[in-house]
C-alpha cells in the first residue's frame, strides 16, 4: 500500500499535466476506493460559497479610495489639495478639498450600496438549505458547507446548489429535465442522463453505498463542454469505466423540472462552478464623448499651466523694479530674503496653479456619472419598448454608453431570431423528387386529413413508397425531442395536431417543427421509454425502435445522427443536416432533383435540411461501438477524437429527401431597417445560414431592393477565379461610380446612382483575413473595406461566431474608426456583441446569453428604431451640452481671476470669496445643467421617429468637435471679459455709495460673481427647448438660492469663521443703483452674441433639426409612432403644422428620387409569413400603396 501511494504521488507530480494539472479525481461520498485499486489522496477544493462582491467591511475604504484616485482628474485634485495644505496658497484648502470630498463621497456611497446589494444576494444564496446523503441518511445543511464529493439530493423546481454529476433519478430510464434560464436564458427543457451503472440507485441507502471515483477536467467556463469518466467499483470485478459528458452534468443555477428528485455528486463548488466562472466582467467600453471630454481636459490643463507660467513670469518682472517686491508696509524677514530664487518661483507657480485650478471642473465627472445613471431609466421606463407578447421590457446593463446610441454608423445584426421570429413552421418536404405539403389547399378548400399531395408529375412507385416511409421514420427518430403527456409544461411548448394531448419539448425550434410536420403527414412520434423510441404509423400501428447511439449535432459538422434497431432486427443510421454537410457524404439517391428543390426553397427564404440513411450489419455496428467508446472515455482531446469517429461513421449515405421550414420575419423589421438606412446607418447582416436563404430574408426586410446590384464574394466564385482577381474586379465595379457615390444621401436609396449590395461567405472571409505569404494581409483587407464602404448593404453568410467578431473588429479599427453596434439573440452572437462599441441583445428564443453579455437588451428588433433614433439622439444632445456647458461656465468663472492678477501686482489675491469658490460648481450652477441633461427634448419624439434623417445632424460626434468646443471656449472668454471690465469701468467713477462708503475689492468680486451666476444660468435657459415645472423650479430656484445664500452669508457674523470679510458686502452692493444697472446691462451684453449667432445661423444656414424647430415646435399628438412619411402626403392627412407643406414637397422629392425609373406596383418580395396588409386608414400606408400613390 505504501509503495502504491509513493508510486501514485510520483506519477501525479512527475507524469506531466495530463493527470495533475488538467484533471482532478473525486471520491464519491468521500469513500476510499477498494484496497489495491488506487491510492486515496484527498485533495483540497474550495467550499461552496459564492462571492460576487468586490469589497469587504475592512477593505472598502482603502480599496475604493485607491480605485477612485486612479482616475486622473481625482488624482489631480488630490495633488492640488495637498499643495494647498503644504504651502501658503491664496485660497483655503477647503475650496479644493470640499468639492473633491463631495465627488469621492458620492461615488463611494453609490459603489458601496451596489456592493452591499451583492453581499445581500451572496448571503441569500450561500445560506439556502441543501439535502445531502451522509452514512445512508438524508441530512440538511447550508449551501456554503457543501464540499466536492458530497452526494446531493435535489427535488423538483429546486435549483442545483453546485455542479453535479447526475447519478440517478426517480425515473426508471434515468433521465431528468432541466431548464437553464438563469444561465443562458433558455426556458426550453433539456434532457440529462444518469450514469448507466448508477441509475438504478433510487433510495438514500442505495446511493450511500455507492463506491466510485470520478476523473474529470479542471474547472473551465464553457457551459456546454465537459469531459470526464467514472469508475464504478463492485465487490468482485474490476471497475466499470463509463464516459461522462455535458449530458451527465447538472450546472449550478439550473432548475430541475418534471422530475420528482435526483441524486448527484458535487464535482465543482463555489467559485469553481461554471456559473461563477462566467461572472468575469466584460472589458470596459469607453464612449466617444468620454474620449472627447478627456481631450478637452488636456487642452484646459495646458491652458491652466500656461496661465500659471505667465503669471509667475510677470510677477517677477513686475517685482524687479525697486520697492515693488518689498514695500515699506510689508518688509521681508531675513530668512525670506535668503530663500532660493528658483524655489520661490516654483512655490509661486504652484500657488497660481491652485488659484486657477477651478478651470478643470471636478464636479463634471460626478454630474456626468449621475446623468448617465439616472438617464438610463428612461429606456427601461419606455412603454413603447415593452413587448406585451413576451412580457419583456428593455434592459440596461451599462449606462456608460447611453450617448453612443446616438452615434452609430454601422449595425451588424444576426438573422435568425433577430430579424426573424425563430418560430418555425413546417412547410414541405421533398422525397426523391416528390414534394409533400401538409394541409394542402386544393380549390380553395383546406384538406386537413390529407397525408400529403404529390405536387410533381406522378405518385411514387412501390420502391418509392418504402423510401417515403423511411424518410418519415427518419424524421420521427433523428432528433432530441422530448414528449410530455400533459399540458402543464413550463416554458415554450408545442401541442401536436390531431387531438393528441402530448406536448413536444426541445431546445431547438426546428426539431419541434419537423416532428409536428411529419405528424401531419401521418407519422407521430410518441415517446422514448426504456431506451425505445415509439412511432405511430399511418395504419395506427405502434413501431418500436431501440435507440443505440446518438451522434449529437454540433455547429462544425452541421448535422446529427442516430443509430436505431427496428423490431425486425435491422440496424439503421439516420442522418439529417445542412445540405453542404450531407451531399458530400451521399453515394446514392436522386441528388440533382433534391438539390434543385433545396436551392429553390432557399431562394424563397425557407430553412432547409437534408435527410439520409444507411443500413448497418451487426459487425459494422460493433466496430462503430468500439470506435465511439474509445473516443468517449478519453480525457484528452475527446472532442477531436469524437469528431474523427463521427467522420468515419457518417459516410456512404443514401439520400432520402429534404425538408423546408419557414422562419417568419419579425414584425416591423423591414420598417426598422429602412428607417436606420435613412438615418445614414449602414446595416450588415451576419448569419450562419446559407446564402440563398439569407439573401431572400434581406430582400424581405428591405436591406436589398429591386434595383440593388448584388456583388458576390463567395467560395464558388473564388474557385473559378483567384481571390486577387475577384477583389480587383469588384473594386473596379463599385469604384467606377465613386465620383457620384454620395452615400450620405439616403444611404444609397436614390436611383440616380447605382445601388450595390455585397454578399460574402465565411470561407471567403477567412481567405481575406489570412496573412499572405509575405506576412501581410493588409492589402486584401483594405481592398475589401473599400468595396464594403461603397455598398449600401452587406450580407455575410455561413459565418462562424468568431468570424462575426472579426468582421466587427475589421470595421471598428478601419481608418474612419466608425461607431459600431452589434445586435443578436443567441450564444453565437456574444463574441460580436462584446467586440462592437455597443452590444444589444434581443431577448429571444435562443436564450439570454446575448442579453446577459450585452450593454442593452430589447424584446424585439423593431425596438432598435426608437432606441437609436429617439433615445440615442436625446442622450447625445444632452450630454454634449452638459460637457460643453461645464467647460464654458468654468472659463467664465476663472478667467476674471486671471485678469484680476494684472490689477493686484500678481499677488495671488483671489477675486471671489472662499464660499463662492467652493459652492460655484457644487450648488449654484450644478442642478440646472443636471436637469437639462436629463429632460431636454430639442425636437418632439414623434418627429424624430417620423424623420430618421435628423439622426445625421448629430452623427460623427458633431456637437463635440473642436470647432464647437472652440466656439464655447471663446464665448466663455468673451463673457468673462464683459463681467470683469464691465464691472471695472462701471465702478471706475462710481465707487462711492449714497452714504459715502467706498466699494472695496470684495464688493467688486461679488458683483462679477453675481453677473456670472445669472449669465451662465440664463444661457442654459435660452438653450432649453422643453420646459416643465421642474426646469422652472430648478433654474429660477438656483438663482433664488444664490441670492438668499449671499444675504445670509454676508448678513450674519458666523462664529466658526476666523474672518468676516464678506460681512454686509452683498447687501451693500445691492443698495447701490449702479450695481443693479451693471447686473442687468452686463448680463444682457454677455448673452447677446450667442442669441445673435443662433438667430443668424437659423435664418441663413439652418440644419435639418433647426428647420423642424422653426416650423413645428410641438409635434402633433395624433401621429402614430410609425406613421410613414408617405402618409403625410395623402389627402386624408391634414396637418396644422406650418412646415407641413415643406415636408410634403421635400418627402415627395425624396421618394420620387428613390423610385425614379424603377416604379413598380408590385412590392419587393417578402417572406410569406410577413406580408404587409394595407390599412384603409388615411394615416397609415404600406410600401405597395406608397408606390401606387407616387406613380
Amino acid at each position: 500500500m505504501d509503495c502504491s501511494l509513493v508510486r501514485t504521488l510520483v506519477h501525479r507530480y512527475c507524469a506531466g499535466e495530463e493527470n495533475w494539472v488538467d484533471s482532478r479525481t473525486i471520491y464519491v461520498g468521500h469513500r476510499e476506493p477498494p484496497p489495491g485499486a488506487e491510492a486515496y489522496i484527498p485533495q483540497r477544493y474550495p467550499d461552496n460559497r459564492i462571492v460576487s462582491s468586490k469589497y469587504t467591511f475592512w477593505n472598502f475604504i482603502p480599496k475604493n479610495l485607491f480605485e477612485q484616485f486612479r482616475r486622473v482628474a481625482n488624482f489631480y485634485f488630490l495633488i492640488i489639495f495637498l499643495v494647498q495644505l503644504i504651502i501658503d496658497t491664496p485660497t483655503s484648502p477647503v475650496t479644493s478639498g470640499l468639492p473633491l470630498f463631495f465627488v469621492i463621497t458620492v461615488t463611494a456611497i453609490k459603489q458601496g450600496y451596489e456592493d452591499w446589494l451583492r453581499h445581500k444576494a451572496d448571503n441569500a444564496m450561500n445560506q439556502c438549505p441543501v439535502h445531502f446523503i451522509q452514512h445512508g441518511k438524508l441530512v440538511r445543511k447550508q449551501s456554503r458547507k457543501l464540499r466536492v464529493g458530497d452526494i446531493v439530493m435535489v427535488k423538483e423546481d429546486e435549483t442545483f446548489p453546485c455542479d453535479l454529476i447526475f447519478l440517478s433519478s426517480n425515473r426508471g430510464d434515468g433521465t431528468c429535465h432541466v431548464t437553464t434560464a438563469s444561465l443562458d436564458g433558455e426556458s426550453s427543457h433539456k434532457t440529462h442522463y444518469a450514469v448507466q451503472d448508477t441509475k438504478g440507485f433510487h433510495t438514500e441507502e442505495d446511493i450511500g453505498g455507492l463506491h466510485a471515483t470520478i476523473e474529470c477536467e479542471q474547472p473551465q467556463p464553457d457551459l456546454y463542454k465537459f469531459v470526464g469518466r467514472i469508475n464504478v467499483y463492485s465487490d468482485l470485478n474490476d471497475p466499470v469505466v463509463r464516459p461522462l459528458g455535458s449530458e451527465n452534468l447538472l450546472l449550478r443555477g439550473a432548475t430541475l423540472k418534471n422530475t420528482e428528485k435526483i441524486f448527484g455528486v458535487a464535482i465543482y463548488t463555489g467559485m469553481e462552478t461554471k456559473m461563477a466562472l462566467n461572472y468575469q466582467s466584460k472589458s470596459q467600453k469607453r464612449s466617444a464623448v468620454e474620449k472627447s471630454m478627456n481631450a478637452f481636459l488636456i487642452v484646459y490643463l495646458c491652458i491652466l499651466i500656461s496661465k500659471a507660467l505667465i503669471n509667475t513670469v510677470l510677477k517677477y518682472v513686475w517685482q524687479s523694479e525697486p520697492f515693488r517686491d518689498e514695500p515699506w508696509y510689508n518688509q521681508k524677514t531675513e530668512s525670506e530674503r535668503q530663500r532660493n530664487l528658483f524655489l520661490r518661483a516654483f512655490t509661486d507657480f504652484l500657488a497660481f496653479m491652485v488659484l486657477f485650478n477651478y478651470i478643470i471642473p471636478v464636479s463634471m465627472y460626478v454630474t456626468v456619472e449621475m446623468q448617465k445613471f439616472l438617464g438610463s431609466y428612461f429606456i427601461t421606463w419606455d412603454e413603447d419598448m415593452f413587448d406585451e407578447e413576451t412580457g419583456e421590457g428593455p434592459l440596461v446593463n451599462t449606462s456608460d454608453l447611453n450617448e453612443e446610441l446616438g452615434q452609430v454608423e454601422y449595425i451588424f445584426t444576426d438573422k435568425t431570431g433577430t430579424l426573424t421570429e425563430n418560430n418555425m413552421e413546417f412547410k414541405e418536404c421533398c422525397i426523391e423528387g416528390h414534394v409533400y405539403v401538409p394541409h394542402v389547399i386544393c380549390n380553395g378548400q383546406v384538406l386537413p386529413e390529407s397525408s400529403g399531395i404529390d405536387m410533381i408529375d406522378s405518385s411514387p412507385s412501390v420502391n418509392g413508397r418504402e423510401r417515403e416511409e423511411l424518410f418519415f421514420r427518419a424524421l420521427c427518430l433523428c432528433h432530441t425531442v422530448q414528449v410530455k403527456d400533459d399540458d402543464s409544461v413550463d416554458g415554450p411548448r408545442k401541442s401536436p395536431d390531431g387531438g393528441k394531448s402530448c406536448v413536444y419539448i426541445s431546445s431547438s425550434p426546428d426539431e419541434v417543427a419537423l416532428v409536428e410536420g411529419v405528424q401531419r403527414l401521418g407519422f407521430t412520434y410518441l415517446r422514448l421509454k426504456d431506451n425505445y423510441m415509439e412511432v405511430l404509423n399511418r395504419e395506427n400501428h405502434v413501431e418500436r425502435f431501440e435507440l443505440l447511439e446518438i451522434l449529437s449535432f454540433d455547429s462544425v459538422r452541421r448535422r446529427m445522427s442516430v443509430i436505431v434497431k427496428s423490431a425486425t432486427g435491422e440496424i439503421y443510421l439516420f442522418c439529417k443536416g445542412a445540405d453542404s454537410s450531407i451531399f458530400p457524404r451521399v453515394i446514392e439517391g436522386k441528388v440533382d432533383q433534391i438539390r434543385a428543390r433545396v436551392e429553390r426553397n432557399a431562394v424563397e427564404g425557407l430553412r432547409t435540411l437534408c435527410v439520409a440513411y444507411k443500413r448497418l450489419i451487426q459487425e459494422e455496428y460493433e466496430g462503430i461501438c468500439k470506435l465511439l467508446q474509445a473516443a468517449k472515455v478519453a480525457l484528452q482531446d475527446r472532442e477531436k477524437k469524437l469528431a474523427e469517429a463521427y467522420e468515419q461513421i457518417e459516410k456512404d449515405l443514401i439520400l432520402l429527401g429534404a425538408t423546408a421550414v419557414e422562419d417568419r420575419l419579425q414584425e416591423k423589421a423591414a420598417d426598422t431597417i429602412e428607417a436606420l438606412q435613412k438615418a445614414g446607418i449602414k446595416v450588415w447582416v451576419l448569419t450562419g445560414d446559407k446564402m440563398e436563404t439569407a439573401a431572400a430574408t434581406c430582400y424581405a426586410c428591405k436591406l436589398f431592393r429591386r434595383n440593388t446590384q448584388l456583388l458576390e464574394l463567395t467560395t464558388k466564385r473564388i474557385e473559378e477565379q483567384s481571390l486577387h482577381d475577384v477583389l480587383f474586379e469588384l473594386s473596379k465595379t463599385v469604384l467606377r461610380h465613386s465620383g457620384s457615390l454620395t452615400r450620405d444621401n439616403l444611404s444609397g436609396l436614390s436611383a440616380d446612382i447605382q445601388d450595390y449590395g455585397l454578399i460574402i461567405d465565411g470561407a471567403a472571409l477567412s481567405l481575406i483575413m489570412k496573412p499572405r505569404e509575405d506576412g501581410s494581409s493588409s492589402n486584401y483587407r483594405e481592398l475589401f473595406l473599400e468595396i464594403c464602404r461603397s455598398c449600401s448593404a452587406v450580407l455575410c453568410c455561413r459565418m462562424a461566431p468568431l468570424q462575426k467578431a472579426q468582421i466587427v473588429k475589421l470595421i471598428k479599427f478601419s481608418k474612419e474608426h466608425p461607431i459600431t453596434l452589434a445586435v443578436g439573440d443567441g450564444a453565437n452572437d456574444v463574441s460580436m456583441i462584446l467586440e462592437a462599441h455597443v452590444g444589444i441583445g434581443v431577448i429571444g428564443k435562443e436564450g439570454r446569453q446575448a442579453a446577459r453579455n450585452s450593454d442593452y437588451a430589447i424584446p424585439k428588433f423593431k425596438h432598435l428604431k426608437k432606441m437609436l433614433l429617439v433615445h440615442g439622439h436625446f442622450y447625445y444632445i444632452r450630454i454634449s451640452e452638459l460637457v460643453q456647458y461645464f467647460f464654458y461656465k468654468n472659463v467664465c468663472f476663472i478667467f476674471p481671476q486671471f485678469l484680476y492678477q494684472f490689477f493686484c501686482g500678481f499677488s495671488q489675491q483671489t477675486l471671489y470669496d472662499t464660499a463662492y469658490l467652493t459652492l460655484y460648481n457644487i450648488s449654484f450652477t450644478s442642478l440646472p445643467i443636471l436637469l437639462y441633461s436629463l429632460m431636454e427634448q430639442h425636437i418632439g419624439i414623434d418627429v424624430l421617429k417620423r424623420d430618421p434623417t435628423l439622426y445625421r445632424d448629430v452623427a460623427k460626434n458633431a456637437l463635440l468637435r473642436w470647432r464647437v468646443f472652440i466656439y464655447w471656449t471663446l464665448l466663455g472668454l468673451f463673457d468673462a471679459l464683459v463681467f470683469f471690465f464691465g464691472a471695472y469701468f462701471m465702478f471706475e467713477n462710481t465707487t462711492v455709495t449714497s452714504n459715502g462708503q467706498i466699494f472695496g475689492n470684495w464688493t467688486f468680486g461679488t458683483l462679477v460673481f453675481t453677473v456670472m451666476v445669472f449669465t451662465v444660468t440664463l444661457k442654459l435657459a435660452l438653450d432649453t427647448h422643453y420646459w416643465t415645472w421642474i426646469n422652472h423650479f430648478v433654474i429660477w430656484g438656483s438663482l433664488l438660492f444664490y441670492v438668499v445664500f449671499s444675504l445670509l452669508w454676508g448678513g450674519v457674523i458666523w462664529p466658526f469663521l476666523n474672518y468676516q470679510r464678506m460681512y454686509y458686502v452683498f447687501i451693500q452692493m445691492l443698495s447701490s443703483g449702479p450695481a443693479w444697472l451693471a447686473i442687468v446691462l452686463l448680463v444682457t451684453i454677455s448673452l447677446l452674441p450667442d442669441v445673435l449667432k443662433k438667430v443668424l445661423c437659423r435664418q441663413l444656414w439652418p440644419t435639418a433639426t433647426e428647420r423642424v424647430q422653426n416650423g413645428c415646435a410641438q409635434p402633433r399628438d395624433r401621429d402614430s409612432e410609425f406613421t410613414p412619411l408617405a402618409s403625410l402626403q395623402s389627402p386624408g392627412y391634414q396637418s396644422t403644422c406650418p412646415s407641413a407643406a415643406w415636408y410634403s414637397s421635400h418627402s415627395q422629392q425624396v421618394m420620387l428620387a428613390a423610385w425614379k425609373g424603377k416604379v413598380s406596383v408590385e412590392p419587393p418580395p417578402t417572406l410569406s409569413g410577413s406580408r404587409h396588409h394595407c390599412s384603409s386608414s388615411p394615416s397609415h400606408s404600406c410600401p405597395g400603396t406608397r408606390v401606387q400613390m407616387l406613380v
Side-chain angles (χ1 to χ4, degrees), residues 323-340:
F323 306 112
R324 284 187 175 174
D325 184 29
E326 195 175 351
W328 61 269
Y329 55 84
N330 191 15
Q331 297 288 324
K332 290 184 179 180
T333 63
E334 192 63 31
S335 60
E336 286 177 332
R337 289 195 185 96
Q338 292 177 358
R339 282 185 69 192
N340 184 282

Side-chain angles (χ1 to χ4, degrees), residues 145 179 200 319 358 382 420-421 506 670 684 734 968 1018 1124-1125 1176:
K145 296 181 179 178
T179 59
Q319 290 180 351
Y358 301 96
D382 192 337
T420 61
E421 291 182 350
S506 176
W684 291 28
V734 297
W968 279 87
L1018 291 175
L1125 280 173
S1176 60

Side-chain angles (χ1 to χ4, degrees), residues 782-838:
E782 284 302 317
L783 200 55
F784 172 65
L785 281 172
E786 283 297 324
I787 296 167
C788 291
R789 276 192 284 265
S790 302
C791 294
S792 60
V794 178
L795 166 63
C796 305
C797 49
R798 298 292 193 191
M799 287 279 142
L802 286 177
Q803 285 184 312
K804 291 183 178 183
Q806 277 183 329
I807 284 277
V808 175
K809 190 173 183 180
L810 189 66
I811 298 297
K812 181 179 171 183
F813 292 108
S814 59
K815 61 184 178 184
E816 296 93 350
H817 295 287
I819 303 299
T820 58
L821 180 147
V823 54
D825 71 317
N828 59 332
D829 303 315
V830 170
S831 54
M832 75 168 179
I833 283 173
L834 293 178
E835 183 62 50
H837 290 97
V838 183

Side-chain angles (χ1 to χ4, degrees), residues 61 115 224 254 290 321 352 395 472 495 597 608 797 906 959 973 1064 1115 1134 1178:
I61 292 177
D115 203 62
Y224 309 103
E290 189 177 344
E321 294 187 21
F352 279 118
L395 300 173
F472 293 148
S495 296
R597 192 69 190 181
T608 56
C797 49
F906 306 98
L959 302 182
L973 290 173
Y1064 219 66
Q1134 300 295 329

Side-chain angles (χ1 to χ4, degrees), residues 861-1044:
F861 181 77
K862 67 179 182 181
H863 298 131
L864 192 62
K865 177 180 176 180
K866 187 172 186 184
M867 178 170 268
L868 297 188
L869 303 187
V870 177
H871 289 292
H873 195 119
F874 282 157
Y875 282 138
Y876 179 73
I877 288 285
R878 292 163 180 169
I879 201 165
S880 57
E881 175 90 8
L882 185 152
V883 171
Q884 300 280 29
Y885 179 78
F886 253 100
F887 286 114
Y888 157 77
K889 72 187 181 76
N890 277 42
V891 170
C892 292
F893 181 44
I894 216 64
F895 195 64
Q897 179 75 69
F898 173 72
L899 296 173
Y900 187 58
Q901 296 306 302
F902 290 86
F903 295 86
C904 67
F906 306 98
S907 60
Q908 299 148 15
Q909 171 65 37
T910 59
L911 177 61
Y912 315 117
D913 180 60
T914 302
Y916 290 158
L917 284 170
T918 306
L919 296 178
Y920 176 72
N921 278 317
I922 293 179
S923 299
F924 299 147
T925 60
S926 58
L927 270 182
I929 184 60
L930 177 61
L931 261 293
Y932 175 96
S933 65
L934 288 173
M935 305 188 71
E936 171 64 359
Q937 294 182 20
H938 64 304
I939 299 178
I941 293 174
D942 289 343
V943 177
L944 283 176
K945 286 188 288 190
R946 233 180 12 241
D947 190 357
T949 56
L950 296 174
Y951 190 83
R952 297 160 183 256
D953 278 2
V954 299
K956 300 183 185 296
N957 208 11
L959 302 182
L960 286 174
R961 290 179 183 164
W962 286 105
R963 179 172 54 83
V964 183
F965 169 71
I966 291 169
Y967 167 75
W968 279 87
T969 303
L970 293 176
L971 184 64
L973 290 173
F974 171 80
D975 288 351
L977 288 168
V978 171
F979 304 155
F980 185 83
F981 287 108
Y984 178 80
F985 291 122
M986 188 71 67
F987 277 5
E988 189 176 21
N989 298 316
T990 57
T991 54
V992 180
T993 62
S994 58
N995 61 4
Q997 290 182 324
I998 298 176
F999 282 158
N1001 65 315
W1002 295 116
T1003 309
F1004 174 73
T1006 303
L1007 177 62
V1008 172
F1009 190 82
T1010 303
V1011 174
M1012 176 176 58
V1013 169
F1014 274 78
T1015 301
V1016 297
T1017 305
L1018 291 175
K1019 157 76 173 139
L1020 192 64
L1022 287 174
D1023 287 349
T1024 302
H1025 296 90
Y1026 187 73
W1027 285 92
T1028 65
W1029 67 268
I1030 303 177
N1031 295 77
H1032 284 290
F1033 176 77
V1034 169
I1035 286 179
W1036 314 125
S1038 292
L1039 295 177
L1040 183 63
F1041 172 73
Y1042 165 69
V1043 173
V1044 171

